[in-house]
Amino acid sequence: MNFEDIYRRNIDTVYATAFLHLKNKSDAEDAAQTVFMKYLAASPDFTDENHEKAWFILTTRNHCRNTLKHWWNRLRTDTENEESCVSVFAGEKDGDLTETLMTLPEKYRELIYLYYYEEYSVKEISHITGKNESTIRTQLARAREKLKKKLERKGVCCERSEVNLNV
């Protein structure tokens, strides 16, 4: 498998995961570049495409967490406003859901993203995050409830069929 194929297959996931954590377009682009540089340096062998995708998600998440802990990020004032998130997540026509998603705490954002956008099962998310399956189910339920309340406050209708918050 050549680098170009792997890049095309994973860039959207890497960028969306980075944006989910960093909430900034420029930082997400930098993180995506760094993750692919780490891939080139490590040259990991993957058993299948799911293993590959999980590696990119974990590497991106870890890189973003390290970036956020860096002293520079604690001292800087972000001059960019949080950009509209509409284009970050493919297939979403209305940005209300994504904008509201970005206001959730990181642990809930990540689970919602992995479950609904990347379509991982609870068991797979448990393996990726290292958390117990029951913890994932509980946090997903809390995340959905928080998201629903926030959307209702914004005046967005929250019928399950419209925003697809059902498990």
Side-chain angles (χ1 to χ4, degrees), residues 61-104:
R61 182 182 73 167
N62 292 340
H63 174 74
C64 291
R65 286 181 175 174
N66 289 340
T67 298
L68 291 171
K69 285 191 288 188
H70 194 273
W71 66 269
W72 173 255
N73 284 314
R74 286 183 289 192
L75 296 177
R76 82 176 192 177
T77 302
D78 201 354
T79 57
E80 289 182 47
N81 293 332
E82 290 181 14
E83 294 91 1
S84 173
C85 311
V86 178
S87 63
V88 174
F89 301 104
E92 186 180 337
K93 296 173 187 149
D94 183 8
D96 286 335
L97 180 60
T98 303
E99 285 180 23
T100 307
L101 174 64
M102 295 304 287
T103 66
L104 292 176

Short mmCIF file of all heavy atoms in Angstrom, two decimals, residues 61-104:
data_model
loop_
_atom_site.label_atom_id
_atom_site.label_comp_id
_atom_site.label_asym_id
_atom_site.label_seq_id
_atom_site.Cartn_x
_atom_site.Cartn_y
_atom_site.Cartn_z
N ARG A 61 -5.50 11.63 18.47
CA ARG A 61 -5.98 12.01 19.80
C ARG A 61 -4.81 12.27 20.74
O ARG A 61 -4.78 13.28 21.45
CB ARG A 61 -6.87 10.91 20.37
CG ARG A 61 -7.44 11.26 21.74
CD ARG A 61 -8.28 10.16 22.30
NE ARG A 61 -7.38 9.08 22.72
CZ ARG A 61 -7.76 8.07 23.46
NH1 ARG A 61 -9.01 7.95 23.81
NH2 ARG A 61 -6.91 7.14 23.81
N ASN A 62 -3.84 11.38 20.77
CA ASN A 62 -2.68 11.55 21.65
C ASN A 62 -1.88 12.81 21.29
O ASN A 62 -1.45 13.54 22.17
CB ASN A 62 -1.79 10.32 21.61
CG ASN A 62 -2.46 9.12 22.25
OD1 ASN A 62 -3.40 9.25 23.04
ND2 ASN A 62 -1.98 7.94 21.91
N HIS A 63 -1.70 13.03 20.00
CA HIS A 63 -0.96 14.23 19.58
C HIS A 63 -1.71 15.50 20.01
O HIS A 63 -1.09 16.44 20.51
CB HIS A 63 -0.75 14.24 18.06
CG HIS A 63 -0.14 15.50 17.58
ND1 HIS A 63 1.20 15.80 17.79
CD2 HIS A 63 -0.67 16.59 16.95
CE1 HIS A 63 1.46 17.00 17.30
NE2 HIS A 63 0.34 17.49 16.78
N CYS A 64 -3.02 15.51 19.83
CA CYS A 64 -3.81 16.69 20.21
C CYS A 64 -3.77 16.93 21.71
O CYS A 64 -3.65 18.08 22.16
CB CYS A 64 -5.25 16.54 19.74
SG CYS A 64 -5.42 16.61 17.95
N ARG A 65 -3.85 15.87 22.49
CA ARG A 65 -3.77 16.02 23.95
C ARG A 65 -2.42 16.57 24.36
O ARG A 65 -2.33 17.44 25.24
CB ARG A 65 -4.05 14.70 24.64
CG ARG A 65 -5.53 14.34 24.59
CD ARG A 65 -5.81 13.05 25.29
NE ARG A 65 -7.25 12.81 25.32
CZ ARG A 65 -7.79 11.71 25.76
NH1 ARG A 65 -7.05 10.73 26.23
NH2 ARG A 65 -9.10 11.57 25.74
N ASN A 66 -1.36 16.09 23.74
CA ASN A 66 -0.03 16.62 24.04
C ASN A 66 0.08 18.08 23.62
O ASN A 66 0.69 18.89 24.33
CB ASN A 66 1.05 15.79 23.36
CG ASN A 66 1.21 14.42 23.97
OD1 ASN A 66 0.81 14.20 25.11
ND2 ASN A 66 1.77 13.50 23.22
N THR A 67 -0.50 18.41 22.50
CA THR A 67 -0.48 19.80 22.02
C THR A 67 -1.20 20.71 23.01
O THR A 67 -0.71 21.80 23.34
CB THR A 67 -1.15 19.90 20.63
OG1 THR A 67 -0.41 19.11 19.70
CG2 THR A 67 -1.20 21.33 20.14
N LEU A 68 -2.35 20.28 23.49
CA LEU A 68 -3.12 21.11 24.42
C LEU A 68 -2.42 21.26 25.77
O LEU A 68 -2.64 22.26 26.47
CB LEU A 68 -4.51 20.51 24.61
CG LEU A 68 -5.42 20.61 23.39
CD1 LEU A 68 -6.69 19.79 23.60
CD2 LEU A 68 -5.76 22.05 23.06
N LYS A 69 -1.57 20.30 26.16
CA LYS A 69 -0.85 20.38 27.43
C LYS A 69 0.39 21.28 27.33
O LYS A 69 0.93 21.69 28.35
CB LYS A 69 -0.40 18.99 27.87
CG LYS A 69 -1.51 18.14 28.42
CD LYS A 69 -0.97 16.89 29.08
CE LYS A 69 -0.45 15.90 28.10
NZ LYS A 69 -0.09 14.60 28.67
N HIS A 70 0.84 21.54 26.12
CA HIS A 70 2.08 22.30 25.93
C HIS A 70 1.94 23.70 26.52
O HIS A 70 0.89 24.33 26.44
CB HIS A 70 2.41 22.38 24.43
CG HIS A 70 3.79 22.84 24.15
ND1 HIS A 70 4.12 24.16 24.06
CD2 HIS A 70 4.94 22.15 23.96
CE1 HIS A 70 5.41 24.28 23.81
NE2 HIS A 70 5.93 23.06 23.74
N TRP A 71 3.00 24.21 27.10
CA TRP A 71 2.96 25.52 27.76
C TRP A 71 2.52 26.63 26.82
O TRP A 71 1.85 27.57 27.21
CB TRP A 71 4.33 25.85 28.39
CG TRP A 71 5.43 26.04 27.39
CD1 TRP A 71 6.27 25.09 26.91
CD2 TRP A 71 5.79 27.26 26.73
NE1 TRP A 71 7.12 25.62 25.98
CE2 TRP A 71 6.86 26.97 25.85
CE3 TRP A 71 5.33 28.57 26.78
CZ2 TRP A 71 7.46 27.93 25.06
CZ3 TRP A 71 5.93 29.53 25.99
CH2 TRP A 71 6.98 29.21 25.14
N TRP A 72 2.90 26.54 25.56
CA TRP A 72 2.56 27.58 24.60
C TRP A 72 1.04 27.71 24.44
O TRP A 72 0.52 28.82 24.38
CB TRP A 72 3.21 27.26 23.25
CG TRP A 72 2.77 28.18 22.16
CD1 TRP A 72 1.91 27.91 21.14
CD2 TRP A 72 3.15 29.54 21.99
NE1 TRP A 72 1.73 29.00 20.35
CE2 TRP A 72 2.49 30.04 20.85
CE3 TRP A 72 3.98 30.41 22.68
CZ2 TRP A 72 2.64 31.34 20.40
CZ3 TRP A 72 4.12 31.71 22.23
CH2 TRP A 72 3.46 32.15 21.09
N ASN A 73 0.35 26.60 24.41
CA ASN A 73 -1.10 26.64 24.24
C ASN A 73 -1.82 27.15 25.48
O ASN A 73 -2.92 27.67 25.38
CB ASN A 73 -1.64 25.26 23.86
CG ASN A 73 -1.34 24.96 22.42
OD1 ASN A 73 -1.54 25.79 21.55
ND2 ASN A 73 -0.82 23.77 22.17
N ARG A 74 -1.21 26.98 26.63
CA ARG A 74 -1.84 27.50 27.85
C ARG A 74 -1.68 29.01 27.95
O ARG A 74 -2.49 29.68 28.58
CB ARG A 74 -1.27 26.82 29.07
CG ARG A 74 -1.77 25.39 29.21
CD ARG A 74 -1.25 24.76 30.44
NE ARG A 74 0.18 24.54 30.23
CZ ARG A 74 0.96 23.82 30.99
NH1 ARG A 74 0.48 23.26 32.05
NH2 ARG A 74 2.23 23.65 30.71
N LEU A 75 -0.63 29.56 27.34
CA LEU A 75 -0.37 30.99 27.43
C LEU A 75 -0.96 31.81 26.29
O LEU A 75 -1.23 32.99 26.45
CB LEU A 75 1.15 31.25 27.48
CG LEU A 75 1.88 30.69 28.69
CD1 LEU A 75 3.37 30.96 28.56
CD2 LEU A 75 1.34 31.29 29.97
N ARG A 76 -1.15 31.20 25.16
CA ARG A 76 -1.58 31.95 23.98
C ARG A 76 -3.07 32.28 24.03
O ARG A 76 -3.87 31.56 24.61
CB ARG A 76 -1.24 31.22 22.69
CG ARG A 76 -2.23 30.17 22.31
CD ARG A 76 -1.87 29.57 20.97
NE ARG A 76 -3.00 28.78 20.50
CZ ARG A 76 -3.05 28.17 19.37
NH1 ARG A 76 -2.04 28.27 18.54
NH2 ARG A 76 -4.09 27.47 19.02
N THR A 77 -3.40 33.36 23.39
CA THR A 77 -4.79 33.73 23.21
C THR A 77 -5.10 33.49 21.75
O THR A 77 -4.42 34.01 20.86
CB THR A 77 -5.01 35.23 23.53
OG1 THR A 77 -4.58 35.44 24.86
CG2 THR A 77 -6.46 35.59 23.39
N ASP A 78 -6.10 32.70 21.51
CA ASP A 78 -6.45 32.35 20.14
C ASP A 78 -7.12 33.54 19.47
O ASP A 78 -8.17 33.99 19.91
CB ASP A 78 -7.38 31.13 20.12
CG ASP A 78 -7.37 30.42 18.80
OD1 ASP A 78 -6.73 30.92 17.85
OD2 ASP A 78 -8.00 29.36 18.71
N THR A 79 -6.50 34.05 18.41
CA THR A 79 -7.07 35.20 17.71
C THR A 79 -8.15 34.78 16.73
O THR A 79 -8.96 35.59 16.31
CB THR A 79 -5.98 35.97 16.95
OG1 THR A 79 -5.33 35.07 16.05
CG2 THR A 79 -4.99 36.58 17.90
N GLU A 80 -8.14 33.50 16.37
CA GLU A 80 -9.19 32.99 15.48
C GLU A 80 -10.42 32.69 16.31
O GLU A 80 -10.32 32.16 17.41
CB GLU A 80 -8.76 31.68 14.82
CG GLU A 80 -7.70 31.79 13.79
CD GLU A 80 -7.42 30.42 13.18
OE1 GLU A 80 -8.38 29.72 12.82
OE2 GLU A 80 -6.24 30.09 13.07
N ASN A 81 -11.57 33.05 15.79
CA ASN A 81 -12.79 32.57 16.42
C ASN A 81 -12.93 31.11 16.04
O ASN A 81 -12.38 30.68 15.04
CB ASN A 81 -14.01 33.35 15.90
CG ASN A 81 -13.98 34.78 16.35
OD1 ASN A 81 -13.42 35.10 17.39
ND2 ASN A 81 -14.58 35.65 15.56
N GLU A 82 -13.68 30.37 16.84
CA GLU A 82 -13.93 28.99 16.44
C GLU A 82 -14.68 29.04 15.13
O GLU A 82 -15.74 29.64 15.02
CB GLU A 82 -14.74 28.27 17.52
CG GLU A 82 -13.94 28.03 18.76
CD GLU A 82 -14.73 27.29 19.81
OE1 GLU A 82 -15.79 26.73 19.48
OE2 GLU A 82 -14.28 27.29 20.95
N GLU A 83 -14.07 28.46 14.10
CA GLU A 83 -14.67 28.49 12.79
C GLU A 83 -15.96 27.70 12.77
O GLU A 83 -16.19 26.85 13.61
CB GLU A 83 -13.72 27.89 11.73
CG GLU A 83 -12.47 28.68 11.50
CD GLU A 83 -11.34 28.22 12.40
OE1 GLU A 83 -11.54 27.29 13.19
OE2 GLU A 83 -10.28 28.84 12.33
N SER A 84 -16.75 27.98 11.78
CA SER A 84 -17.95 27.18 11.59
C SER A 84 -17.51 25.76 11.31
O SER A 84 -16.61 25.51 10.54
CB SER A 84 -18.75 27.72 10.42
OG SER A 84 -19.82 26.86 10.14
N CYS A 85 -18.16 24.83 11.96
CA CYS A 85 -17.76 23.42 11.87
C CYS A 85 -18.50 22.67 10.78
O CYS A 85 -18.35 21.47 10.67
CB CYS A 85 -18.05 22.74 13.21
SG CYS A 85 -17.42 23.64 14.61
N VAL A 86 -19.30 23.36 10.01
CA VAL A 86 -20.18 22.69 9.06
C VAL A 86 -19.40 21.80 8.10
O VAL A 86 -19.79 20.67 7.83
CB VAL A 86 -21.01 23.72 8.27
CG1 VAL A 86 -21.89 23.04 7.25
CG2 VAL A 86 -21.85 24.55 9.22
N SER A 87 -18.28 22.29 7.59
CA SER A 87 -17.55 21.53 6.58
C SER A 87 -16.64 20.46 7.16
O SER A 87 -16.10 19.65 6.43
CB SER A 87 -16.73 22.47 5.72
OG SER A 87 -15.76 23.10 6.51
N VAL A 88 -16.45 20.44 8.47
CA VAL A 88 -15.52 19.50 9.08
C VAL A 88 -16.06 18.08 9.01
O VAL A 88 -15.33 17.14 8.73
CB VAL A 88 -15.23 19.89 10.54
CG1 VAL A 88 -14.39 18.84 11.22
CG2 VAL A 88 -14.53 21.23 10.58
N PHE A 89 -17.34 17.92 9.25
CA PHE A 89 -17.93 16.59 9.28
C PHE A 89 -18.72 16.38 8.01
O PHE A 89 -19.73 17.03 7.78
CB PHE A 89 -18.80 16.41 10.52
CG PHE A 89 -18.02 16.59 11.78
CD1 PHE A 89 -18.13 17.75 12.52
CD2 PHE A 89 -17.12 15.62 12.21
CE1 PHE A 89 -17.39 17.93 13.68
CE2 PHE A 89 -16.38 15.80 13.36
CZ PHE A 89 -16.51 16.95 14.09
N ALA A 90 -18.26 15.47 7.20
CA ALA A 90 -18.85 15.23 5.89
C ALA A 90 -20.30 14.79 6.01
O ALA A 90 -20.67 14.04 6.91
CB ALA A 90 -18.06 14.15 5.16
N GLY A 91 -21.11 15.28 5.11
CA GLY A 91 -22.48 14.82 5.01
C GLY A 91 -23.47 15.61 5.84
O GLY A 91 -24.66 15.38 5.73
N GLU A 92 -23.02 16.52 6.68
CA GLU A 92 -23.98 17.27 7.47
C GLU A 92 -24.39 18.53 6.73
O GLU A 92 -23.56 19.34 6.34
CB GLU A 92 -23.39 17.64 8.84
CG GLU A 92 -24.45 18.28 9.71
CD GLU A 92 -23.92 18.66 11.06
OE1 GLU A 92 -22.94 18.09 11.51
OE2 GLU A 92 -24.52 19.57 11.66
N LYS A 93 -25.69 18.68 6.53
CA LYS A 93 -26.20 19.82 5.79
C LYS A 93 -26.38 21.03 6.68
O LYS A 93 -26.19 22.16 6.27
CB LYS A 93 -27.53 19.46 5.13
CG LYS A 93 -27.40 18.36 4.09
CD LYS A 93 -28.74 17.91 3.59
CE LYS A 93 -28.53 16.70 2.69
NZ LYS A 93 -29.61 15.78 2.71
N ASP A 94 -26.78 20.81 7.92
CA ASP A 94 -27.06 21.88 8.85
C ASP A 94 -25.98 21.89 9.92
O ASP A 94 -25.71 20.87 10.53
CB ASP A 94 -28.44 21.65 9.47
CG ASP A 94 -28.86 22.76 10.41
OD1 ASP A 94 -28.15 23.78 10.47
OD2 ASP A 94 -29.89 22.60 11.08
N GLY A 95 -25.39 23.04 10.16
CA GLY A 95 -24.29 23.13 11.10
C GLY A 95 -24.69 23.18 12.56
O GLY A 95 -23.82 23.14 13.43
N ASP A 96 -26.00 23.28 12.87
CA ASP A 96 -26.42 23.37 14.27
C ASP A 96 -25.94 22.20 15.10
O ASP A 96 -25.47 22.36 16.21
CB ASP A 96 -27.95 23.46 14.37
CG ASP A 96 -28.48 24.83 13.96
OD1 ASP A 96 -27.71 25.81 14.07
OD2 ASP A 96 -29.65 24.91 13.56
N LEU A 97 -26.06 21.00 14.57
CA LEU A 97 -25.66 19.81 15.32
C LEU A 97 -24.16 19.83 15.60
O LEU A 97 -23.73 19.60 16.73
CB LEU A 97 -26.05 18.54 14.56
CG LEU A 97 -25.69 17.22 15.24
CD1 LEU A 97 -26.36 17.10 16.61
CD2 LEU A 97 -26.08 16.05 14.36
N THR A 98 -23.37 20.13 14.60
CA THR A 98 -21.91 20.12 14.79
C THR A 98 -21.47 21.25 15.71
O THR A 98 -20.63 21.05 16.58
CB THR A 98 -21.18 20.23 13.44
OG1 THR A 98 -21.62 19.16 12.61
CG2 THR A 98 -19.69 20.16 13.62
N GLU A 99 -22.05 22.43 15.54
CA GLU A 99 -21.69 23.54 16.43
C GLU A 99 -22.03 23.21 17.87
O GLU A 99 -21.26 23.51 18.78
CB GLU A 99 -22.42 24.82 16.00
CG GLU A 99 -21.84 25.45 14.76
CD GLU A 99 -22.59 26.71 14.35
OE1 GLU A 99 -23.24 27.34 15.22
OE2 GLU A 99 -22.52 27.07 13.17
N THR A 100 -23.16 22.58 18.08
CA THR A 100 -23.56 22.19 19.43
C THR A 100 -22.66 21.08 19.95
O THR A 100 -22.28 21.08 21.12
CB THR A 100 -25.04 21.75 19.45
OG1 THR A 100 -25.83 22.79 18.86
CG2 THR A 100 -25.52 21.50 20.86
N LEU A 101 -22.32 20.14 19.10
CA LEU A 101 -21.40 19.06 19.47
C LEU A 101 -20.09 19.63 19.99
O LEU A 101 -19.54 19.15 20.98
CB LEU A 101 -21.16 18.12 18.29
CG LEU A 101 -20.12 17.03 18.46
CD1 LEU A 101 -20.55 16.05 19.55
CD2 LEU A 101 -19.88 16.31 17.17
N MET A 102 -19.60 20.67 19.35
CA MET A 102 -18.31 21.25 19.73
C MET A 102 -18.36 21.92 21.11
O MET A 102 -17.32 22.19 21.70
CB MET A 102 -17.84 22.25 18.68
CG MET A 102 -17.53 21.61 17.33
SD MET A 102 -16.32 20.29 17.39
CE MET A 102 -14.83 21.22 17.65
N THR A 103 -19.56 22.19 21.64
CA THR A 103 -19.66 22.79 22.97
C THR A 103 -19.66 21.75 24.08
O THR A 103 -19.56 22.11 25.25
CB THR A 103 -20.94 23.66 23.09
OG1 THR A 103 -22.09 22.81 23.00
CG2 THR A 103 -20.98 24.73 22.02
N LEU A 104 -19.78 20.47 23.73
CA LEU A 104 -19.76 19.41 24.74
C LEU A 104 -18.34 19.21 25.27
O LEU A 104 -17.37 19.50 24.57
CB LEU A 104 -20.25 18.09 24.14
CG LEU A 104 -21.71 17.98 23.74
CD1 LEU A 104 -21.98 16.63 23.09
CD2 LEU A 104 -22.63 18.20 24.92
#
